[in-house]
Amino acid sequence: MKAVALTLFLSVNLCSFAQRKIDSFLLINSNYKIEDSIKVIYLNNIFKEYSRLNNLQKLKEFSAKAIEIAKKLPQTISLTRTYFRLGLCYHGKSMYLQAIDSYNKGIEVANKRNDKNSAAGFYLNLSALYQAIPDYTKALEASDRAVNLYNQIGDKEQVSSCYMNIGSIYNDLQKPVQAVAYIQKALAVFINADEGINYGVSSAYQGIASSYSKASDAELITLGVKPVEKYQHSLEFLFKALKVATASGDGASTQIAPLNNDIGKTYEKMGNGELAFQYYQRALILYNQSSEDKNSIADILFSLGSFYADRKNYDSSLYYLQQSLQIGKENKLLFIQQQALEKISDVYEKTGKFENAIIFYKDFIKVKEEIFNAEKEKEITRKQLQLDFAIKENDYKLVQEVSDGKLKQQELQISLDKKVKIFLAVAIALAVIIGALIFYDQRKTKQLNKIINEQKLALQESVMVKDKLFSVVSHDVRAPLSSLMSFIDILDNGKMSPEKLAIYAQELKQNLSYTSSLMNNLLNWAASQMQGFKPQNENFDLSVIVAEVANTLQHHLTQKMVVVKNNIPADTNIYADRNMTAAILRNLISNAGKYSHKEGVVEISAQKNNDGWHIAVKDEGIGMQPGEIAKFNNHLQQTTESKRGTANEKGTGLGLLLCKTFTEQMGGKISAAANAKGMTFSIQIPVV
């Protein structure tokens, strides 16, 4: 609570301080009447502070005034700086199109006066912007232009900053080998400045540590590192970075606190919980001292919450996770909210508080949709940038054609008609290209909307399944347990005749048998939903599994004189998860017996084709309605409305859901179809 309270206090005071600064700048600006470079500086400071307060209207108003005055000045340095400041404001607010426009205008002004240093700075910022969208191709192109310009003016330190930027891009692209190559180029320059005690050296060491932690075994070998020493090497560079950052007097929020957080995460991956906790605590203390980087504060709180959750200290886990969630909400950090909500739901589920788990899980789904929509907006921005580029490129070509036509007209008037035809042809081609691009963009948008709707439907179905499960647990488990308690009370009183005792015992046995089956299915389904739960494939004899399953169900089948025919030959070996396969067959054979008529027959067969094993469970029962079959055969996971068996047996609809879940997790498919006498369920398991 102390961290959240401190954050709120500082946020309020920072807003108040920013407003006082604006009032001061406005007063100075109103008293200063001369329209010169100093006036431009005052206006730049004003729109910068309005940007911090998210007042976009004032930001646009005062930036327009600054640009208007700067354009009138004989020296263009003020205009260059204004475009740079304005681009940073839009960039920080993720208003990418506006930021790109400001940066490009600044580059145009800088190029006119051959200011290579300013132009390189614009390209470096463009590289960071394209990395955020992300458009890594344009990000690398912008960095390359910045490198060329800085090399021309001999600024090796800025060239190294560009190399660091390129290394960061390759880290995002999951290419740690290339990332390390560029970061080491930067490090070679940084380490020779200020006796190697500077921000650049610390940043480079941290980047190399990040590359090692992301690298695969093959990539580590390429980098000259043994895979088993992956985290030791990562720690080595993190401690080097921490040592340099501490010696250089760098601020806690910029490097020292994040480095402690990274060290804690690395120790946790190595299984050293005690040291991980120590560094997490150090990072949290350092963040609270500065309270500037909300994203990093929320991240360390989440790390602590996850740390306690893994050690089953759920009260402490919820305390830190809820703090992380609160900061994420206050600062609109969607990714922080997403990971905190999912983890809180998981903790409540582990503690048995299923209602709370569902509430936070639904909030997690909503935030996930917001993130998806944000990514969609970035995709639209990328497409719009591509469209703008195509239009400008064609406009440029058109201007060139017209200019060439005028020059040739002066030389030879006879070619006028030909030039007009060329102009019209280019104009028509441009219109066709623009129309095609707009059509393609609209079609892409429709496809994105379709994907969003499909994912939304799948998430809704998932929530409905969980709601159904909790309903079953609350009703169908409670009733048999209540019956058992009542039966025990009657036995305590000792006032029941042997005949009634036998009747009640039989009824109770059926209820508890149903409850046992229900709990097995619930536990199996819950296990299938756990993150990291994967099939454990092995070779086994399918005929033996069928025989074992039929034997466990023999008591229920014998009551209705249902015969199970195992048509699978001995030594029919398949490669799949033994327990999952047994659970699928148990539910299908149990259902076949439940819905079979007296003296019915259930047949199990299997054959191998090019696409894998096909296992069939065929019965002679009452079957399913066409709508029920279609619902089961669709791609969504959902419970079905269970109906009573031919002997009034109860069901929950969870068995078929479990069959579908396990089959799909093994990479297979399951389908239902009506046959001449009943139903046939077919399972296809691929050959690995």
Side-chain angles (χ1 to χ4, degrees):
M1 293 301 292
K2 184 182 291 183
V4 175
L6 181 59
T7 302
L8 290 171
F9 173 79
L10 286 173
S11 296
V12 171
N13 280 276
L14 285 172
C15 289
S16 176
F17 177 71
Q19 186 60 54
R20 290 198 300 272
K21 285 182 70 176
I22 289 176
D23 293 338
S24 176
F25 285 136
L26 287 171
L27 179 62
I28 295 171
N29 179 63
S30 64
N31 292 330
Y32 194 87
K33 305 300 182 181
I34 305 172
E35 292 188 348
D36 57 8
S37 59
I38 296 176
K39 182 78 168 181
V40 174
I41 292 173
Y42 291 152
L43 292 169
N44 283 351
N45 288 330
I46 291 171
F47 75 69
K48 175 185 174 184
E49 294 304 321
Y50 275 126
S51 174
R52 289 180 176 177
L53 291 177
N54 294 317
N55 191 330
L56 294 179
Q57 182 180 352
K58 293 293 184 181
L59 165 63
K60 294 176 181 178
E61 176 184 341
F62 283 92
S63 62
K65 290 180 181 178
I67 291 171
E68 180 184 0
I69 295 172
K71 284 182 176 180
K72 298 176 183 178
L73 300 177
Q75 298 295 328
T76 57
I77 184 66
S78 294
L79 185 58
T80 305
R81 290 172 178 172
T82 300
Y83 280 132
F84 191 88
R85 175 66 58 81
L86 183 59
L88 286 176
C89 290
Y90 283 132
H91 191 168
K93 297 189 173 305
S94 300
M95 299 174 69
Y96 300 116
L97 293 175
Q98 294 87 338
I100 290 170
D101 182 64
S102 296
Y103 288 149
N104 284 331
K105 287 178 178 177
I107 291 170
E108 183 179 354
V109 175
N111 287 339
K112 284 182 179 179
R113 59 189 182 88
N114 199 29
D115 184 354
K116 295 180 179 180
N117 186 62
S118 295
F122 282 113
Y123 280 123
L124 195 56
N125 282 4
L126 276 172
S127 175
L129 184 150
Y130 284 126
Q131 185 180 358
I133 289 178
D135 189 337
Y136 295 115
T137 301
K138 288 186 177 180
L140 289 171
E141 288 175 357
S143 289
D144 185 59
R145 291 189 178 186
V147 168
N148 289 335
L149 289 169
Y150 282 130
N151 275 328
Q152 289 177 32
I153 60 179
D155 193 338
K156 292 183 178 180
E157 186 172 350
Q158 288 293 6
V159 170
S160 299
S161 296
C162 294
Y163 285 149
M164 282 295 300
N165 202 40
I166 295 172
S168 175
I169 293 170
Y170 276 120
N171 260 334
D172 285 355
L173 288 168
Q174 302 298 318
K175 294 183 177 181
V177 175
Q178 293 90 327
V180 169
Y182 277 96
I183 294 172
Q184 286 178 338
K185 286 183 180 180
L187 180 61
V189 175
F190 292 144
I191 208 164
N192 290 323
D194 301 321
E195 298 180 347
I197 307 299
N198 56 67
Y199 177 88
V201 172
S202 179
S203 236
Y205 285 144
Q206 189 175 13
I208 294 172
S210 176
S211 299
Y212 283 147
S213 66
K214 295 177 180 178
S216 64
D217 289 352
E219 289 166 336
L220 287 168
I221 292 171
T222 303
L223 291 168
V225 176
K226 296 179 180 179
V228 294
E229 298 175 353
K230 173 179 183 175
Y231 294 117
Q232 288 90 333
H233 278 272
S234 183
L235 271 179
E236 177 185 347
F237 281 97
L238 286 173
F239 279 119
K240 285 182 178 180
L242 182 61
K243 182 179 179 181
V244 173
T246 304
S248 65
D250 190 25
S253 66
T254 55
Q255 277 212 295
I256 298 178
L259 283 168
N260 277 278
N261 190 18
D262 288 348
I263 292 171
K265 289 180 179 179
T266 306
Y267 272 129
E268 189 168 7
K269 290 175 183 176
M270 297 173 69
N272 194 329
E274 183 177 352
L275 284 175
F277 179 75
Q278 290 179 16
Y279 281 94
Y280 284 149
Q281 289 283 48
R282 290 179 189 176
L284 184 59
I285 291 170
L286 290 166
Y287 278 133
N288 285 335
Q289 288 174 354
S290 62
S291 292
E292 293 177 0
D293 189 347
K294 305 296 189 300
N295 191 79
S296 296
I297 294 174
D299 185 57
I300 183 59
L301 290 168
F302 176 81
S303 297
L304 283 166
S306 299
F307 176 88
Y308 279 116
D310 292 341
R311 284 149 185 81
K312 299 182 180 180
N313 186 341
Y314 297 122
D315 289 338
S316 296
S317 174
L318 287 172
Y319 172 77
Y320 286 106
L321 291 173
Q322 286 168 346
Q323 286 192 62
S324 177
L325 175 61
Q326 183 67 21
I327 294 174
K329 287 180 177 179
E330 291 169 357
N331 296 277
K332 296 181 180 180
L333 304 172
L334 292 179
F335 178 76
I336 292 295
Q337 293 180 51
Q338 180 191 21
Q339 66 178 11
L341 286 167
E342 186 177 24
K343 196 68 177 180
I344 291 171
S345 176
D346 182 59
V347 171
Y348 275 128
E349 188 174 349
K350 289 178 179 178
T351 57
K353 296 179 180 179
F354 298 110
E355 291 184 1
N356 290 344
I358 283 293
I359 290 171
F360 282 93
Y361 187 80
K362 288 181 177 178
D363 288 341
F364 159 73
I365 296 299
K366 292 178 183 177
V367 173
K368 192 172 183 180
E369 281 189 355
E370 287 186 49
I371 292 175
F372 187 88
N373 289 334
E375 290 300 320
K376 178 186 173 185
E377 289 180 5
K378 288 185 178 181
E379 176 66 20
I380 292 171
T381 299
R382 288 196 294 273
K383 295 301 179 185
Q384 189 169 350
L385 288 172
Q386 292 171 6
L387 178 61
D388 290 344
F389 177 79
I391 293 172
K392 289 178 181 178
E393 185 178 37
N394 282 292
D395 285 342
Y396 174 75
K397 290 179 180 178
L398 181 59
V399 171
Q400 288 296 102
E401 291 287 349
V402 174
S403 298
D404 291 341
K406 288 181 178 179
L407 290 172
K408 290 181 180 179
Q409 186 179 26
Q410 294 174 0
E411 298 173 358
L412 189 60
Q413 187 67 28
I414 301 173
S415 62
L416 177 62
D417 292 339
K418 183 179 179 180
K419 299 306 174 185
V420 171
K421 290 179 181 179
I422 292 174
F423 174 80
L424 292 175
V426 172
I428 292 170
L430 178 62
V432 171
I433 291 172
I434 293 173
L437 288 171
I438 293 173
F439 173 77
Y440 174 78
D441 190 61
Q442 289 177 343
R443 189 175 68 174
K444 188 68 175 179
T445 301
K446 288 181 180 179
Q447 291 175 347
L448 289 172
N449 287 332
K450 183 179 179 182
I451 293 171
I452 291 171
N453 290 331
E454 288 177 353
Q455 291 192 349
K456 183 177 180 180
L457 180 61
L459 291 171
Q460 288 174 344
E461 290 292 345
S462 177
V463 172
M464 288 173 64
V465 168
K466 288 202 173 185
D467 289 342
K468 172 70 176 177
L469 294 181
F470 287 124
S471 174
V472 169
V473 170
S474 65
H475 181 270
D476 287 14
V477 175
R478 183 186 300 168
L481 292 177
S482 299
S483 298
L484 178 61
M485 293 300 298
S486 300
F487 183 68
I488 292 172
D489 289 340
I490 293 172
L491 289 178
D492 285 342
N493 293 332
K495 296 179 180 180
M496 182 182 290
S497 64
E499 294 79 7
K500 287 186 177 181
L501 179 62
I503 293 172
Y504 286 151
Q506 182 62 28
E507 179 68 21
L508 186 61
K509 180 180 179 182
Q510 291 180 358
N511 285 339
L512 291 178
S513 176
Y514 157 77
T515 305
S516 176
S517 175
L518 167 64
M519 292 306 298
N520 282 334
N521 281 340
L522 281 171
L523 291 172
N524 283 330
W525 184 87
S528 73
Q529 301 304 301
M530 293 172 60
Q531 294 182 1
F533 183 86
K534 296 180 180 178
Q536 302 295 321
N537 292 339
E538 59 180 306
N539 284 307
F540 61 88
D541 190 341
L542 181 61
S543 65
V544 173
I545 293 295
V546 173
E548 290 175 353
V549 170
N551 186 54
T552 60
L553 299 172
Q554 192 60 44
H555 172 72
H556 302 287
L557 298 171
T558 301
Q559 292 179 351
K560 294 170 70 172
M561 292 182 285
V562 174
V563 176
V564 176
K565 290 186 178 181
N566 184 357
N567 296 330
I568 301 175
D571 298 326
T572 301
N573 293 314
I574 69 170
Y575 186 71
D577 187 295
R578 183 187 186 97
N579 293 327
M580 286 186 177
T581 306
I584 294 168
L585 291 169
R586 186 180 303 110
N587 278 286
L588 292 180
I589 295 173
S590 175
N591 276 359
K594 183 195 303 182
Y595 298 117
S596 289
H597 299 291
K598 191 174 182 181
E599 298 182 357
V601 177
V602 178
E603 296 185 63
I604 300 94
S605 59
Q607 62 179 2
K608 186 178 181 182
N609 295 334
N610 292 333
D611 56 349
W613 282 97
H614 290 259
I615 306 169
V617 178
K618 180 180 178 183
D619 64 53
E620 300 175 351
I622 59 178
M624 298 168 66
Q625 297 297 322
E628 295 173 331
I629 295 175
K631 183 178 179 181
F632 176 77
N633 287 336
N634 71 19
H635 68 286
L636 297 175
Q637 289 196 9
Q638 52 191 324
T639 57
T640 58
E641 293 297 328
S642 181
K643 54 189 176 183
R644 296 275 182 167
T646 54
N648 203 34
E649 301 100 318
K650 291 175 61 178
T652 65
L654 298 180
L656 292 180
L657 171 63
L658 184 64
C659 292
K660 178 177 285 191
T661 301
F662 278 174
T663 303
E664 291 176 353
Q665 287 189 348
M666 289 191 291
K669 299 177 182 177
I670 185 170
S671 61
N675 58 47
K677 296 183 179 180
M679 290 294 300
T680 300
F681 285 85
S682 300
I683 310 159
Q684 181 256 317
I685 300 177
V687 176
V688 181

Coordinates of all heavy atoms in Angstrom, one line a residue, residues 181-236:
A181 N 26.4 -8.8 -31.7 CA 27.4 -8.2 -32.6 C 27.4 -6.7 -32.6 O 28.4 -6.0 -32.5 CB 27.2 -8.8 -34.0
Y182 N 26.2 -6.1 -32.7 CA 26.1 -4.7 -32.8 C 26.3 -4.0 -31.4 O 26.9 -3.0 -31.3 CB 24.7 -4.3 -33.3 CG 24.6 -4.3 -34.8 CD1 24.1 -5.4 -35.5 CD2 25.1 -3.2 -35.5 CE1 24.1 -5.4 -36.9 CE2 25.0 -3.2 -36.9 CZ 24.5 -4.3 -37.6 OH 24.5 -4.3 -39.0
I183 N 25.8 -4.7 -30.3 CA 26.0 -4.1 -29.0 C 27.5 -4.1 -28.6 O 28.0 -3.2 -28.0 CB 25.2 -4.9 -27.9 CG1 23.7 -4.7 -28.2 CG2 25.6 -4.4 -26.5 CD1 22.9 -5.6 -27.3
Q184 N 28.3 -5.1 -29.1 CA 29.7 -5.2 -28.8 C 30.4 -4.1 -29.6 O 31.4 -3.5 -29.1 CB 30.3 -6.6 -29.1 CG 29.9 -7.6 -28.1 CD 30.4 -9.0 -28.5 OE1 30.6 -9.3 -29.6 NE2 30.5 -9.9 -27.5
K185 N 30.0 -3.7 -30.8 CA 30.5 -2.6 -31.5 C 30.4 -1.3 -30.7 O 31.3 -0.5 -30.6 CB 29.8 -2.5 -32.9 CG 30.2 -3.5 -33.9 CD 29.5 -3.2 -35.2 CE 29.9 -4.2 -36.3 NZ 29.2 -3.9 -37.6
A186 N 29.2 -1.1 -30.2 CA 28.9 0.1 -29.4 C 29.8 0.1 -28.1 O 30.3 1.1 -27.7 CB 27.4 0.1 -29.0
L187 N 29.9 -1.1 -27.5 CA 30.6 -1.2 -26.2 C 32.1 -0.8 -26.4 O 32.7 -0.2 -25.6 CB 30.5 -2.6 -25.7 CG 31.3 -2.9 -24.4 CD1 30.7 -2.1 -23.2 CD2 31.1 -4.4 -24.0
A188 N 32.7 -1.2 -27.6 CA 34.1 -0.9 -27.9 C 34.4 0.6 -27.8 O 35.5 1.0 -27.5 CB 34.5 -1.5 -29.2
V189 N 33.4 1.4 -28.2 CA 33.5 2.9 -28.2 C 33.2 3.4 -26.8 O 34.0 4.2 -26.2 CB 32.6 3.5 -29.2 CG1 32.7 5.1 -29.1 CG2 33.0 3.1 -30.6
F190 N 32.1 3.0 -26.2 CA 31.7 3.5 -24.8 C 32.8 3.2 -23.8 O 33.0 4.0 -22.9 CB 30.4 2.8 -24.4 CG 29.2 3.2 -25.2 CD1 28.2 2.3 -25.5 CD2 29.1 4.5 -25.7 CE1 27.1 2.6 -26.2 CE2 28.0 4.9 -26.4 CZ 27.0 3.9 -26.7
I191 N 33.4 2.0 -23.9 CA 34.4 1.6 -22.8 C 35.6 2.5 -22.8 O 36.4 2.5 -21.8 CB 34.7 0.1 -23.0 CG1 35.1 -0.5 -21.6 CG2 35.8 -0.1 -24.0 CD1 35.0 -2.0 -21.6
N192 N 35.9 3.2 -23.9 CA 37.1 4.1 -24.0 C 36.8 5.5 -23.5 O 37.7 6.4 -23.5 CB 37.6 4.2 -25.4 CG 38.2 2.8 -25.8 OD1 38.9 2.2 -25.0 ND2 38.0 2.5 -27.1
A193 N 35.5 5.8 -23.2 CA 35.1 7.1 -22.7 C 34.9 7.1 -21.2 O 34.4 6.2 -20.6 CB 33.8 7.6 -23.4
D194 N 35.4 8.2 -20.5 CA 35.2 8.3 -19.0 C 35.7 7.1 -18.3 O 35.1 6.7 -17.3 CB 33.7 8.6 -18.7 CG 33.2 9.8 -19.4 OD1 33.9 10.8 -19.5 OD2 32.0 9.7 -19.9
E195 N 36.8 6.5 -18.8 CA 37.4 5.4 -18.1 C 36.4 4.2 -18.0 O 36.5 3.4 -17.1 CB 38.0 5.7 -16.7 CG 39.1 6.8 -16.8 CD 39.6 7.2 -15.4 OE1 38.9 6.8 -14.4 OE2 40.6 7.8 -15.3
G196 N 35.5 4.1 -18.9 CA 34.6 3.0 -19.0 C 33.4 3.1 -18.0 O 32.7 2.2 -17.8
I197 N 33.3 4.3 -17.3 CA 32.3 4.5 -16.3 C 31.2 5.4 -16.9 O 31.3 6.7 -16.7 CB 32.8 5.0 -14.9 CG1 34.0 4.1 -14.5 CG2 31.7 5.1 -13.9 CD1 33.6 2.7 -14.2
N198 N 30.3 4.9 -17.6 CA 29.2 5.8 -18.2 C 28.0 4.9 -18.5 O 28.0 3.7 -18.4 CB 29.7 6.5 -19.4 CG 30.3 5.5 -20.5 OD1 29.5 4.7 -21.1 ND2 31.6 5.5 -20.7
Y199 N 26.9 5.7 -18.8 CA 25.6 5.0 -19.1 C 25.7 4.1 -20.3 O 25.1 3.0 -20.3 CB 24.6 6.1 -19.4 CG 23.2 5.6 -19.8 CD1 22.3 5.3 -18.8 CD2 22.9 5.4 -21.1 CE1 21.0 4.9 -19.1 CE2 21.6 4.9 -21.5 CZ 20.7 4.7 -20.5 OH 19.5 4.2 -20.8
G200 N 26.5 4.4 -21.3 CA 26.6 3.5 -22.5 C 27.1 2.2 -22.2 O 26.6 1.2 -22.6
V201 N 28.2 2.1 -21.3 CA 28.8 0.8 -21.0 C 27.8 0.0 -20.2 O 27.6 -1.2 -20.5 CB 30.1 1.0 -20.1 CG1 30.6 -0.3 -19.6 CG2 31.1 1.7 -21.0
S202 N 27.1 0.6 -19.2 CA 26.1 -0.1 -18.4 C 25.0 -0.7 -19.3 O 24.6 -1.8 -19.2 CB 25.6 0.8 -17.3 OG 24.6 0.1 -16.6
S203 N 24.6 0.2 -20.2 CA 23.5 -0.2 -21.1 C 23.9 -1.4 -22.0 O 23.1 -2.3 -22.3 CB 23.1 1.0 -22.0 OG 21.8 1.3 -21.9
A204 N 25.1 -1.3 -22.5 CA 25.6 -2.4 -23.4 C 25.7 -3.7 -22.6 O 25.3 -4.8 -23.2 CB 27.0 -2.0 -23.9
Y205 N 26.2 -3.7 -21.4 CA 26.3 -4.9 -20.6 C 24.9 -5.5 -20.4 O 24.6 -6.7 -20.5 CB 26.9 -4.7 -19.3 CG 28.4 -4.5 -19.4 CD1 29.1 -3.6 -18.5 CD2 29.2 -5.3 -20.2 CE1 30.5 -3.4 -18.6 CE2 30.6 -5.1 -20.3 CZ 31.2 -4.2 -19.5 OH 32.6 -4.1 -19.5
Q206 N 23.9 -4.6 -20.1 CA 22.6 -5.1 -19.9 C 22.0 -5.7 -21.1 O 21.2 -6.7 -21.1 CB 21.7 -3.9 -19.4 CG 20.3 -4.3 -18.9 CD 19.5 -3.1 -18.4 OE1 19.9 -2.0 -18.6 NE2 18.4 -3.4 -17.7
G207 N 22.3 -5.1 -22.3 CA 21.8 -5.6 -23.6 C 22.3 -7.0 -23.9 O 21.6 -7.9 -24.4
I208 N 23.6 -7.2 -23.6 CA 24.2 -8.5 -23.9 C 23.6 -9.5 -22.9 O 23.3 -10.7 -23.4 CB 25.8 -8.4 -23.7 CG1 26.4 -7.5 -24.7 CG2 26.4 -9.8 -23.7 CD1 27.8 -7.2 -24.5
A209 N 23.4 -9.2 -21.7 CA 22.7 -10.1 -20.7 C 21.3 -10.5 -21.2 O 21.0 -11.7 -21.2 CB 22.6 -9.5 -19.4
S210 N 20.6 -9.5 -21.8 CA 19.3 -9.8 -22.3 C 19.3 -10.8 -23.5 O 18.5 -11.7 -23.7 CB 18.6 -8.5 -22.7 OG 17.3 -8.7 -23.3
S211 N 20.3 -10.6 -24.4 CA 20.5 -11.4 -25.5 C 20.8 -12.9 -25.1 O 20.3 -13.8 -25.7 CB 21.7 -10.9 -26.4 OG 21.4 -9.6 -26.9
Y212 N 21.7 -13.1 -24.1 CA 22.0 -14.4 -23.6 C 20.8 -15.1 -23.1 O 20.5 -16.3 -23.3 CB 23.1 -14.4 -22.6 CG 24.5 -14.1 -23.1 CD1 25.4 -13.4 -22.4 CD2 24.8 -14.7 -24.3 CE1 26.7 -13.2 -22.9 CE2 26.1 -14.5 -24.9 CZ 27.1 -13.8 -24.1 OH 28.3 -13.6 -24.6
S213 N 19.9 -14.3 -22.3 CA 18.8 -15.0 -21.7 C 17.7 -15.4 -22.7 O 16.9 -16.3 -22.5 CB 18.1 -14.0 -20.7 OG 17.6 -12.9 -21.4
K214 N 17.7 -14.7 -23.9 CA 16.7 -15.0 -25.0 C 17.3 -16.1 -26.0 O 16.5 -16.6 -26.7 CB 16.4 -13.8 -25.8 CG 15.6 -12.7 -24.9 CD 15.4 -11.5 -25.8 CE 14.6 -10.4 -25.0 NZ 14.4 -9.2 -25.7
A215 N 18.6 -16.3 -26.0 CA 19.2 -17.2 -27.0 C 18.8 -18.7 -26.8 O 18.7 -19.2 -25.7 CB 20.7 -17.0 -27.0
S216 N 18.7 -19.4 -28.0 CA 18.5 -20.8 -27.9 C 19.8 -21.5 -27.7 O 20.9 -20.8 -27.7 CB 17.9 -21.3 -29.3 OG 18.8 -21.0 -30.3
D217 N 19.8 -22.8 -27.5 CA 21.1 -23.5 -27.3 C 22.0 -23.4 -28.5 O 23.2 -23.1 -28.3 CB 20.8 -25.0 -27.1 CG 20.1 -25.3 -25.7 OD1 20.0 -24.3 -24.9 OD2 19.7 -26.4 -25.5
A218 N 21.5 -23.5 -29.7 CA 22.3 -23.3 -30.9 C 22.9 -21.9 -31.0 O 24.1 -21.8 -31.4 CB 21.5 -23.6 -32.2
E219 N 22.1 -20.9 -30.7 CA 22.6 -19.5 -30.7 C 23.7 -19.3 -29.7 O 24.6 -18.6 -29.9 CB 21.4 -18.6 -30.6 CG 20.5 -18.5 -31.8 CD 19.2 -17.8 -31.6 OE1 18.8 -17.8 -30.4 OE2 18.6 -17.4 -32.5
L220 N 23.5 -19.9 -28.5 CA 24.5 -19.7 -27.4 C 25.8 -20.3 -27.9 O 26.9 -19.8 -27.6 CB 24.0 -20.4 -26.2 CG 22.9 -19.7 -25.4 CD1 22.3 -20.6 -24.3 CD2 23.4 -18.4 -24.8
I221 N 25.8 -21.5 -28.5 CA 27.0 -22.1 -29.0 C 27.7 -21.2 -30.0 O 28.9 -21.0 -30.0 CB 26.7 -23.5 -29.6 CG1 26.2 -24.5 -28.5 CG2 27.9 -24.1 -30.3 CD1 25.7 -25.8 -29.0
T222 N 26.9 -20.6 -30.9 CA 27.4 -19.6 -31.9 C 28.1 -18.5 -31.2 O 29.1 -17.9 -31.6 CB 26.3 -19.1 -32.8 OG1 25.7 -20.2 -33.5 CG2 26.9 -18.1 -33.8
L223 N 27.5 -18.0 -30.0 CA 28.1 -16.9 -29.3 C 29.3 -17.4 -28.4 O 29.8 -16.6 -27.7 CB 27.0 -16.3 -28.4 CG 25.9 -15.5 -29.1 CD1 24.7 -15.2 -28.2 CD2 26.5 -14.3 -29.7
G224 N 29.6 -18.7 -28.4 CA 30.7 -19.2 -27.6 C 30.3 -19.4 -26.2 O 31.2 -19.4 -25.3
V225 N 29.1 -19.7 -25.9 CA 28.6 -19.9 -24.5 C 28.0 -21.3 -24.4 O 27.2 -21.7 -25.3 CB 27.6 -18.9 -24.1 CG1 27.0 -19.2 -22.7 CG2 28.2 -17.5 -24.2
K226 N 28.3 -22.1 -23.4 CA 27.7 -23.4 -23.2 C 26.3 -23.2 -22.7 O 26.0 -22.3 -21.8 CB 28.5 -24.2 -22.1 CG 29.9 -24.5 -22.6 CD 30.6 -25.3 -21.4 CE 32.0 -25.6 -21.9 NZ 32.7 -26.4 -20.8
P227 N 25.3 -23.9 -23.3 CA 23.9 -23.8 -22.9 C 23.7 -23.9 -21.4 O 22.8 -23.1 -20.9 CB 23.2 -24.9 -23.7 CG 24.0 -25.1 -24.9 CD 25.5 -24.9 -24.4
V228 N 24.4 -24.8 -20.7 CA 24.2 -24.9 -19.3 C 24.7 -23.7 -18.5 O 24.3 -23.5 -17.3 CB 24.9 -26.2 -18.8 CG1 24.3 -27.5 -19.4 CG2 26.4 -26.2 -19.1
E229 N 25.5 -22.9 -19.1 CA 26.0 -21.7 -18.4 C 25.3 -20.4 -18.9 O 25.8 -19.3 -18.6 CB 27.5 -21.5 -18.7 CG 28.3 -22.7 -18.2 CD 29.8 -22.6 -18.6 OE1 30.1 -21.7 -19.4 OE2 30.6 -23.4 -18.1
K230 N 24.1 -20.6 -19.5 CA 23.4 -19.5 -20.0 C 23.1 -18.4 -19.0 O 23.4 -17.2 -19.2 CB 22.0 -20.0 -20.6 CG 21.0 -19.0 -21.0 CD 19.8 -19.7 -21.6 CE 18.8 -18.7 -22.2 NZ 17.6 -19.4 -22.8
Y231 N 22.5 -18.8 -17.9 CA 22.1 -17.8 -16.9 C 23.3 -17.2 -16.1 O 23.3 -16.1 -15.6 CB 21.1 -18.3 -15.9 CG 19.8 -18.6 -16.7 CD1 19.3 -19.9 -16.7 CD2 19.1 -17.6 -17.3 CE1 18.1 -20.2 -17.4 CE2 17.9 -17.8 -17.9 CZ 17.4 -19.1 -18.0 OH 16.2 -19.4 -18.7
Q232 N 24.4 -18.1 -15.9 CA 25.6 -17.6 -15.3 C 26.2 -16.5 -16.1 O 26.6 -15.4 -15.5 CB 26.6 -18.7 -15.1 CG 26.2 -19.8 -14.1 CD 25.4 -20.9 -14.6 OE1 24.7 -20.7 -15.6 NE2 25.5 -22.1 -14.0
H233 N 26.3 -16.6 -17.4 CA 26.8 -15.6 -18.2 C 25.9 -14.3 -18.2 O 26.4 -13.2 -18.2 CB 27.0 -16.1 -19.7 CG 28.2 -16.9 -19.9 ND1 29.4 -16.3 -20.3 CD2 28.4 -18.2 -19.8 CE1 30.3 -17.2 -20.4 NE2 29.8 -18.4 -20.1
S234 N 24.6 -14.5 -18.2 CA 23.7 -13.4 -18.2 C 23.9 -12.6 -16.9 O 24.0 -11.4 -16.8 CB 22.2 -13.9 -18.3 OG 21.4 -12.8 -18.3
L235 N 24.0 -13.4 -15.7 CA 24.3 -12.7 -14.4 C 25.6 -11.9 -14.4 O 25.7 -10.9 -13.9 CB 24.3 -13.8 -13.3 CG 23.0 -14.1 -12.6 CD1 23.2 -15.2 -11.6 CD2 22.4 -12.9 -12.0
E236 N 26.6 -12.5 -15.0 CA 27.9 -11.9 -15.1 C 27.8 -10.5 -15.7 O 28.4 -9.5 -15.2 CB 28.9 -12.8 -15.9 CG 30.3 -12.1 -16.0 CD 31.2 -13.0 -16.9 OE1 30.8 -14.1 -17.2 OE2 32.2 -12.5 -17.4

